Amino acid sequence: MVTLTRIYTRGGDKGQTSLGDGRRVAKHDLRVEAYGTVDEANAVIGLARLHTAGTPEDAYLSRIQNDLFDLGADLCTPEQEAPPYPPLRIVDAQVTRLEQEIDALNAELAPLSSFVLPGGTPAAAYLHQARTVTRRAERLVAALAEREPVTPAAFKYLNRLSDFLFVLSRYVNGRGAGDVLWVPGANR
């Protein structure tokens, strides 16, 4: 368990931060950008939860917020052989759970006849925002994976999460009835 007794350390005052393995890197390091963007997605999910409190959908989002902290811990700790302490890593079971939830929620939605524009209910709008931030995190993790090893399940988790957030946004929009659909060329 983590115990935080002091919030500021002054360690980052010169533009560097510590990774999970203790190594110091620039705050704009690609790895820091990746897990920082995961944190941003988590914050937007927190905004969505203001509009899902007390619903089954809120339970999904609560679990996902915890998973995203796991993902941040995974991403902030570079892979190494024989680490002194086993790092927390995203596992395939977390990806599989998202897939099962996507399938269950999507089964209750009518097929789409057009692309969905972000909007509808406040919860759906925030879920769409969380989806786009998750996609940005996914792009950053893809770039990071070209430079150094990344847990494969971590990348898969982000990919499935963006799909989950899309499906859940439709679900909270009256199971798709309140979706705002794109009308190509409508304003020509």
Side-chain angles (χ1 to χ4, degrees):
M1 193 56 145
V2 176
T3 303
L4 300 174
T5 57
R6 189 166 179 194
I7 302 306
Y8 65 91
T9 63
R10 297 186 177 102
D13 289 352
K14 293 182 180 173
Q16 291 199 327
T17 191
S18 294
L19 297 178
D21 63 359
R23 187 176 61 176
R24 301 285 293 171
V25 298
K27 288 191 176 198
H28 62 272
D29 183 87
L30 186 54
R31 182 172 293 279
V32 178
E33 287 284 342
Y35 69 75
T37 306
V38 167
D39 190 37
E40 185 181 347
N42 202 342
V44 179
I45 289 171
L47 290 171
R49 290 189 66 202
L50 295 174
H51 304 281
T52 62
T55 68
E57 296 79 27
D58 193 59
Y60 290 132
L61 296 174
S62 174
R63 181 190 43 75
I64 287 168
Q65 283 192 295
N66 199 79
D67 282 354
L68 288 176
F69 259 79
D70 290 353
L71 179 57
D74 184 327
L75 292 172
C76 90
T77 308
E79 292 198 14
Q80 60 179 306
E81 285 188 37
Y85 304 101
L88 182 61
R89 300 287 184 210
I90 292 290
V91 296
D92 287 330
Q94 289 167 290
V95 177
T96 300
R97 184 183 323 110
L98 276 177
E99 290 172 347
Q100 292 167 344
E101 292 167 352
I102 290 167
D103 292 342
L105 291 169
N106 200 47
E108 296 189 39
L109 302 176
L112 282 170
S113 59
S114 183
F115 288 103
V116 176
L117 300 176
T121 64
Y126 281 121
L127 290 168
H128 278 290
Q129 185 179 11
R131 175 186 56 78
T132 64
V133 174
T134 298
R135 284 286 191 212
R136 181 163 26 97
E138 184 181 7
R139 292 188 300 271
L140 290 166
V141 171
L144 178 63
E146 288 181 357
R147 295 166 72 187
E148 52 188 287
V150 171
T151 308
F155 188 73
K156 290 178 193 175
Y157 187 89
L158 281 169
N159 188 272
R160 293 313 176 284
L161 178 59
S162 62
D163 294 334
F164 175 87
L165 293 168
F166 175 75
V167 170
L168 188 62
S169 73
R170 294 195 65 219
Y171 192 85
V172 301
N173 256 350
R175 291 180 172 70
D179 284 342
V180 181
L181 298 179
W182 174 48
V183 180
N187 300 311
R188 289 185 178 178

